[in-house]
């Protein structure tokens, strides 16, 4: 709230959903410095719904209790003028400045400017933490806003201009260099900070050039020294190069000499080849008549040979017909032999029939004699019936025994299968026990040794002794092993459990004293606790996610379970699930349990004996190591009992089967005896009937044999007729055969005549071929010589081409290019034969090899170094000029920067010292210089003295108290006030650490300085003011209120408030 003209106290209302309205007198409104703040509007910003602040052009005091929203106005000014949230020190994201529960906030700042004010609006979005900018209600960009603000010399990131509440302490932490830069930006001419930056850049470039010039000068000297060392090597290299050039020229001429030699050979061979070709032509012309006669003779010989083959084919055809007739005669002979053989077989068959008739008659006589001598059989039926009855009873008894044996055998097989199943299962359980024992042996070797001793000496103890708990405890579900292992200590897991204290002491004496083994042993309580009941049924805990107590998760012998219930209360510790973990606080408060297990954690709950407060600690469950392999002891005992019962049953079955097998053997023997008796009785009754039947059969056979008689005379007659007919056919075949033989003889005579002619022609042909062969030998020799010469010519031609190509390649010539004159001239001075060239070449190579360790890189390096020296010399001259230019620039800019800076600091020091003198203290501001050439190390040093007994000390974050630092900061800012180029300055609650005296003095200085005509706008934020302070008519006081009884902004009337206040004042006076 502002007062105009004569100063009067104003009031403003700032609250939730409220707004601010400034009321002034009708006097003319003072002029604002260009860039100062005319109006600030906030919507949904921090604590405000809607609020508008209209400050004055000079000193603005924003007063209000802590938490009412004073610093929110400072935040609005900073963010509205493109300041970063981090500079305020409250939050790092702009979205956090929007009022809670709102999605968008608005900050609007109106700045004074000629001719029209500038209105900068910033809309802040919470969702994506972005801002939208407007200038004079028109959309724009952040860069444009920053350019407008910079043009008005507003620097919200400069602590000399804008000092928020959360960064007051940082001003004293500014280094001398940072303070100088902030002061230059705030009160110096616009070009001062620019000159300073140029000086730093020039000095940095100068330093780089000096270092570069020094390094390059050293490099140049080293390069010159290196070139001197290379010079001698270069001269030796050139000497070697002359030898190498001569070698190269010799190597170039050598292939040309080789080519010329081979070319001459090629011409000589070519002449010889042409002569051989002429000779070969003459020989071929001489051979032609002889070959023609041989060809005619050969054709006549072929005609004769063709006729001979035709006669031979005719002879072969007739011979084949003769062979067919001979085969037909032989077939007729075989037919006659077959007829004789069939006749002999009929004769033999008749003789066999006569023998069979005789034998049958003889056999009938014998059986008749036996039948006549055999008496009539007695009646054997009663004896047969008796034997049959006894056999029937015997078979019934055997059937019963077989059935019993089958049943007992099946029962025995079933028992065997069951015994195998039990044995396999016991083996599995024993394997698990062995694994557990191996685990015990690997982790606790002494305990395992004690276990082996105990198993061999159980008779030495009065009562039962249980093996280590890790062997005796068997989990019902291996997944729950981790709960038991985390609940029972490792020492007890490997402890032996005794029912008698005396037995335990005896065991420990033996183990620890005699065998020197480190083992643990515990004694079960005298009164069993194994059946102890939990404090509440598990069903009451199901709603919390508990599913069982620890005791129900495993089996153990009675002494072990009694000890665990007594020592670890396993009967009263519940085990829960992830549901229990999610509601653990409720579980602890409602159940009052002292130990709890969730799916992966163990909780221990304790109650303080003094405060009665409940504390809980939780630890993650470690993985199970000992109980992951469990054996069901009840199952094992049951299996062992079943195994004993099965063994007894098998023994009983074996005894019963043995008895039945003996009885079965006896019945089988008796059965065989009865069957033999029955067989003999049956044979005695059947013998007569068999003889009579056999005699009847033999009579039938005899009649059949007599009916099958053969007539040999008829057979002889039929055979003779067939033989006569075959002989007639044979006579006709012999006639045809004789005719074919005659034809064959005449053909053989003609063939012989042709063969004689062919022999004569062949002899003539051989004579001609012999004469031709003699000429062919000469011809082949001529052809071979021609081919050899032609091949040699071809090879020499190819060799010439290769040598020419090689010579051209050596001289780097194209195929159609002739040898240049310079090569011809150089070749004339060199040897002309290969031997001389090779000798000269070896001599030059020997001389060149004397120059070792040299190559072209030496010359290249030498030339390169010379060139680099030249380039580096020119580069250094250029950099020397550049360095001189930088020094000249530094000298000019330094003069333009340092003199105004010193005057500015003298002005600041004068005002700063006066402010301190008025407070009976001492303060100085000077320019701190470590090295005049190091412009980035220049800084402003503030030294203060608040007590007469102390010396001037530099203002640091450590030496002065909080109040002293606040006073020093405030007075330094006041010293800048009259010099300041910035349109406004903000200082937030800087008087909090001051004592009342210093606060009063500082306040008076602020009022005096900030209310001058030439000064810029000033914002002074404070939560409280001392009484009876000095005020000025140009001050504007903005009151910030907050509370449940606030009026709405549109209902606030300052005039009514003032009238009521005056009325109440008069009433107080009365």
């Amino acid at each position: 709230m502002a007062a105009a003209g004569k100063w009067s106290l104003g009031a403003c209302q700032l609250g939730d959903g409220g707004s601010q309205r400034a009321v002034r007198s009708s006097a003319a409104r003072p002029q604002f410095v260009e860039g100062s703040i005319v109006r600030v509007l906030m919507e949904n910003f921090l604590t405000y719904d809607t609020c508008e602040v209209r400050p004055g052009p000079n000193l603005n005091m924003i007063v209000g209790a802590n938490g009412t929203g004073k610093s929110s106005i400072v935040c609005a000014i900073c963010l509205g003028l493109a300041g970063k949230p981090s500079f305020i020190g409250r939050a790092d994201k702009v979205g956090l400045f929007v009022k809670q529960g709102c999605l968008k906030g608005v900050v609007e700042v109106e700045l004074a400017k000629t001719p029209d004010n500038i209105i900068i609006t910033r809309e802040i979005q919470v969702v994506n933490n972005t801002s939208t900018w407007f200038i004079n209600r028109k959309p724009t960009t952040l860069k444009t806003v920053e350019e407008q603000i910079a043009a008005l010399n507003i620097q919200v990131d400069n602590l000399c201009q804008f000092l928020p509440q959360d960064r007051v302490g940082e001003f004293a932490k500014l280094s001398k260099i940072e303070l100088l830069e902030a002061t230059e930006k705030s009160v110096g001419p616009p070009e001062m900070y620019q000159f300073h930056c140029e000086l730093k850049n020039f000095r940095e470039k100068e330093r780089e050039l000096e270092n570069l010039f020094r390094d390059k000068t050293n490099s140049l000297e080293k390069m010159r020294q290196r070139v001197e060392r290379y010079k001698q090597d270069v001269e030796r290299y050139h000497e070697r190069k002359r030898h190498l050039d001569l070698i190269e020229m010799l190597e170039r001429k050598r292939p040309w000499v080789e080519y010329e030699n081979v070319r001459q050979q090629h011409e000589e061979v070519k002449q010889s080849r042409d002569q051989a070709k002429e000779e070969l032509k003459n020989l071929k012309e001489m051979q032609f008549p002889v070959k023609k006669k041989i060809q005619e003779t050969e054709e006549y010989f072929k005609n004769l040979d063709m006729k001979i083959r035709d006669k031979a084919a005719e002879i072969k055809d007739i011979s084949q017909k003769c062979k067919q007739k001979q085969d037909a005669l032989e077939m007729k002979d075989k037919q006659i032999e077959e007829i004789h053989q069939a006749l002999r077989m009929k004769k033999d068959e008749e003789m066999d029939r006569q023998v069979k008739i005789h034998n049958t008659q003889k056999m009938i006589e014998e059986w008749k004699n036996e039948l006549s001598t055999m008496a009539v059989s007695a009646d054997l039926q009663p004896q047969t019936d008796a034997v049959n009855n006894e056999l029937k009873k015997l078979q019934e008894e055997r059937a019963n025994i077989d059935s019993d044996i089958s049943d007992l055998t099946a029962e025995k097989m079933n028992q065997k299968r069951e015994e195998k199943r039990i044995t396999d299962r016991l083996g599995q359980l024993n394997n698990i026990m062995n694994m557990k024992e191996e685990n015990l042996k690997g982790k606790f070797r002494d305990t395992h040794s004690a276990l082996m001793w105990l198993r061999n000496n159980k008779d030495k103890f009065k009562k039962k002794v249980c093996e280590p708990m890790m062997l005796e405890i068997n989990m019902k579900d291996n997944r729950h092993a981790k709960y038991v292992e985390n609940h029972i200590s490792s020492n007890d897991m490997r402890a032996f459990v005794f029912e008698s204290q005396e037995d335990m002491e005896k065991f420990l004496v033996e183990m620890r004293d005699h065998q020197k083994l480190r083992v643990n042993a515990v004694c079960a309580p005298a009164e069993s606790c194994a059946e102890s009941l939990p404090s509440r049924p598990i069903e009451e805990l199901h709603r919390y996610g508990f599913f069982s107590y620890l005791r129900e998760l495993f089996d153990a012998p009675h002494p072990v379970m009694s000890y665990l219930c007594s020592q670890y209360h396993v009967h009263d510790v519940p085990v829960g699930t992830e549901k229990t973990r999610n509601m653990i606080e409720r579980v602890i408060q409602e159940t009052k349990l002292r130990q709890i297990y969730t799916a992966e954690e163990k909780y221990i709950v304790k109650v303080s004996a003094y405060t009665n407060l409940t504390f809980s600690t939780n630890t993650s469950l470690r993985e199970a190591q000992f109980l992951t392999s469990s054996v069901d002891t009840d199952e094992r005992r049951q299996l062992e009992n079943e195994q004993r019962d099965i063994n007894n049953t098998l023994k009983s079955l074996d005894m019963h089967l043995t008895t039945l097998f003996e009885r079965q053997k006896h019945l089988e023997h008796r059965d065989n005896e009865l069957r033999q008796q029955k067989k003999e009785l049956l044979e005695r009754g059947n013998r007569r009937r068999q003889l009579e039947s056999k005699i009847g059969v033999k009579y039938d056979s005899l009649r059949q044999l007599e009916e099958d008689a053969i007539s040999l005379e008829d057979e002889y007659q039929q055979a003779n007729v067939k033989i006569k007919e075959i002989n007639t056919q044979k006579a006709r075949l012999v006639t045809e055969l004789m005719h074919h033989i005659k034809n064959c003889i005449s053909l053989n005579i003609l063939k012989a005549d042709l063969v004689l002619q062919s022999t004569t022609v062949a002899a003539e042909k051989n004579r001609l071929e012999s004469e031709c062969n003699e000429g062919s030998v000469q011809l082949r020799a001529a052809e071979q010589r021609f081919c050899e010469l032609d091949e040699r010519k071809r090879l020499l031609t190819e060799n010439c081409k290769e040598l020419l190509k090689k010579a051209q390649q050596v001289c780097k010539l194209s195929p159609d290019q002739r040898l240049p004159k310079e090569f011809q001239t150089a070749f004339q001075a060199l040897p002309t034969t290969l031997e001389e060239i090779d000798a000269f070449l070896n001599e030059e190579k020997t001389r060149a090899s004397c120059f070792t360790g040299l190559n072209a890189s030496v010359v290249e390096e030498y030339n390169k170094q010379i060139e680099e020296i030249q380039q580096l010399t020119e580069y250094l001259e250029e950099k020397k000029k550049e360095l001189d230019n930088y020094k000249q620039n530094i000298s000019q800019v330094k003069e333009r920067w340092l003199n105004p800076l010193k005057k500015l600091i003298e002005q600041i020091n004068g005002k700063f010292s006066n402010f301190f003198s008025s407070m009976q203290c001492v303060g100085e501001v000077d320019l701190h210089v470590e090295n005049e050439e190091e412009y980035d190390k220049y800084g402003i040093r503030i030294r203060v003295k608040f007590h007469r007994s102390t010396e001037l000390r530099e203002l640091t974050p450590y030496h002065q108290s909080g109040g002293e630092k606040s006073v020093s900061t405030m007075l330094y800012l006041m010293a800048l006030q009259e010099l300041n180029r910035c349109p406004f300055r903000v200082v937030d609650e800087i008087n909090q650490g001051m004592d009342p005296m210093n606060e009063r003095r500082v306040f008076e200085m602020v009022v005096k300085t900030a209310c001058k005509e030439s000064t810029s706008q000033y914002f002074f934020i404070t939560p409280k003011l001392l009484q009876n302070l000095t005020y000025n008519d140009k001050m504007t006081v903005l009151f910030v209120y907050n509370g449940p009884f606030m009026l709405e902004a549109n209902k606030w009337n300052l005039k009514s408030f003032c009238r009521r206040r005056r009325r109440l004042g008069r009433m107080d006076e009365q």
Side-chain angles (χ1 to χ4, degrees), residues 505-605:
E505 292 175 357
K506 181 189 296 185
F507 175 77
L508 291 176
V509 168
E510 174 65 28
M511 294 297 104
R512 294 178 178 176
D513 297 343
H514 297 163
Q515 298 191 25
K516 306 301 181 182
L517 298 177
R518 297 175 62 186
V519 297
N520 293 339
V522 297
C523 186
E527 184 177 350
S528 175
C529 299
E531 305 299 331
S532 299
L533 296 176
S535 58
R536 71 197 79 183
I538 191 64
E539 289 75 14
E540 294 183 8
L541 301 177
H542 282 171
R543 58 196 176 108
Y544 301 111
F546 293 105
F547 62 89
S548 175
Y549 287 107
L550 278 177
R551 182 176 62 183
E552 277 64 46
L553 299 180
F554 65 92
D555 292 324
H558 195 275
V560 176
M561 187 64 79
S562 178
Y563 174 78
L564 294 177
C565 289
S566 172
Q567 190 69 21
Y568 291 96
H569 303 286
V570 295
H571 63 287
D572 204 26
V573 177
V575 180
T577 59
E578 193 63 30
K579 177 182 177 182
T580 312
R581 170 67 182 84
N582 295 334
M583 55 189 303
I584 191 64
E585 293 183 1
R586 178 183 167 192
V587 172
I588 293 173
Q589 293 175 1
E590 295 182 3
T591 62
K592 308 299 181 184
L593 293 168
R594 293 294 173 259
Q595 292 190 68
I596 298 170
Y597 284 92
T598 64
E600 297 295 338
E601 294 179 328
K602 175 183 179 181
Y603 288 82
I604 298 177
V605 183

Side-chain angles (χ1 to χ4, degrees), residues 29-33 36 57-58:
R29 183 181 180 90
Q31 293 297 318
F32 286 85
V33 176
S36 57
N58 298 106

Side-chain angles (χ1 to χ4, degrees), residues 97 153 238 348 384 403 465 575 769 922 961 1016 1047:
F97 288 87
N153 199 30
H238 286 306
D348 293 338
T384 303
S403 177
V465 180
V575 180
E769 286 178 350
V922 180
S961 65
S1016 58
L1047 286 174

Side-chain angles (χ1 to χ4, degrees), residues 447-459:
T447 305
H448 183 267
S449 300
L451 174 64
M452 296 298 102
W453 180 88
L454 176 65
R455 289 179 177 175
N456 296 326
N457 296 275
K458 284 190 175 182
D459 56 333

Side-chain angles (χ1 to χ4, degrees), residues 384 387-388 391 674-682:
T384 303
V387 171
N388 287 335
L391 278 172
L674 291 173
R675 289 183 182 279
Q676 185 62 31
Q677 291 179 11
K678 182 178 179 182
K679 181 180 179 182
E680 291 176 354
L681 290 173
L682 291 174

